[in-house]
Amino acid sequence: EKIHVVPLAADVIFRPLDKNQCRKIVKDELNISRPFLLYIGGFSPRKNLRGLINAFMSAFESLREKHQLVIVGALKDEGMDLLKEVTEKNYQEHISFIGYQQESMLPILYNAAKAFIYPSLYEGFGLPPLEAMSCGTPVITSSTTSIPEVIAQEGILINPYKEEEIAEAMVRLLNDED
C-alpha cells in the first residue's frame, strides 16, 4: 500500500497541431515534400532500424501513394553505418536521415507524418510512440516488452522480428484512409 505506479507521460508540447501547416514547415525547413512515415529515436541494434529499412523498401512498391521514410536521430556510429548502407543500395531517394532535431521540431514532425513507426526489439517504456499518439498520429510499433502496455489498443502492434509483418502493417495503414 506504500507503492504507487506512476507511468511516464508525453510532454504537453506533444499535441495535435494543424497538419497542413506542419507539412509546410517540414517542406520549407527540411525539404521533405512527399508524404512520409516517421521514425524518431536512436540507432542501436535493439531499435531495429535495419529491419525497418528493409521492411519499408519491401512495402514501397505496394503503396498507392509513394511515401518517404524519414529517420530522425543523431547520426553517429550505427547511424552512420546505416546511412552508408542506404546510400550504397541507392535508397536515399526514398529514405531520408535528417539527423538530430531540436525538441521544438518534434511535435511538428509527428503532426506532419502520415504515420509513426517504432519497431524496437526492446524498450524500457517506449515514449516516442506515446508522443506520436499524443499528436494524433497513427502508430505502428512492436508487440514486445513494455510497448503494448503503453500503446494498448490504440496502435498497430507488429512482431519486430518479422520484416514482412512490418511491411504489411505499413501497406495496410498507408493504403487505407480509414
Side-chain angles (χ1 to χ4, degrees):
E1 61 270 355
K2 292 182 180 184
I3 297 172
H4 299 279
V5 176
V6 181
L8 288 174
D11 191 287
V12 295
I13 66 168
F14 298 103
R15 65 187 191 287
L17 301 171
D18 182 293
K19 304 279 186 199
N20 291 325
Q21 183 62 30
C22 290
R23 289 181 184 121
K24 182 179 180 339
I25 293 168
V26 167
K27 180 180 180 184
D28 293 346
E29 294 188 21
L30 300 171
N31 199 29
I32 298 168
S33 55
R34 287 192 312 197
F36 65 94
L37 197 61
L38 178 67
Y39 168 84
I40 297 176
F43 293 96
S44 71
R46 75 179 173 88
K47 297 294 187 176
N48 196 25
L49 268 289
R50 187 166 281 109
L52 170 57
I53 290 167
N54 292 339
F56 179 76
M57 291 311 298
S58 172
F60 187 78
E61 291 303 320
S62 298
L63 298 175
R64 284 193 202 122
E65 186 177 12
K66 295 309 169 207
H67 286 71
Q68 202 171 343
L69 174 61
V70 173
I71 298 174
V72 178
L75 280 173
K76 53 187 175 191
D77 304 327
E78 289 100 343
M80 290 303 292
D81 292 342
L82 285 169
L83 175 59
K84 182 180 175 191
E85 282 181 41
V86 164
T87 303
E88 287 171 354
K89 292 179 178 180
N90 245 359
Y91 292 165
Q92 66 271 22
E93 180 183 338
H94 310 300
I95 300 173
S96 297
F97 288 77
I98 62 171
Y100 172 82
Q101 297 295 310
Q102 295 293 325
E103 186 178 45
S104 60
M105 183 57 106
L106 299 182
I108 294 167
L109 283 161
Y110 282 126
N111 276 279
K114 284 286 207 162
F116 178 73
I117 186 154
Y118 201 69
S120 182
L121 303 175
Y122 175 82
E123 287 299 319
F125 183 77
L127 203 49
L130 188 57
E131 292 170 350
M133 290 185 341
S134 296
C135 292
T137 302
V139 171
I140 299 170
T141 191
S142 301
S143 61
T144 60
T145 64
S146 63
I147 297 174
E149 183 178 343
V150 175
I151 300 305
Q153 302 301 312
E154 303 306 317
I156 297 174
L157 295 174
I158 48 90
N159 180 338
Y161 294 98
K162 295 185 176 182
E163 291 175 10
E164 66 279 356
E165 191 172 318
I166 301 169
E168 287 170 10
M170 288 183 214
V171 170
R172 188 171 75 239
L173 179 65
L174 297 175
N175 284 350
D176 184 349
E177 262 319 298
D178 292 333

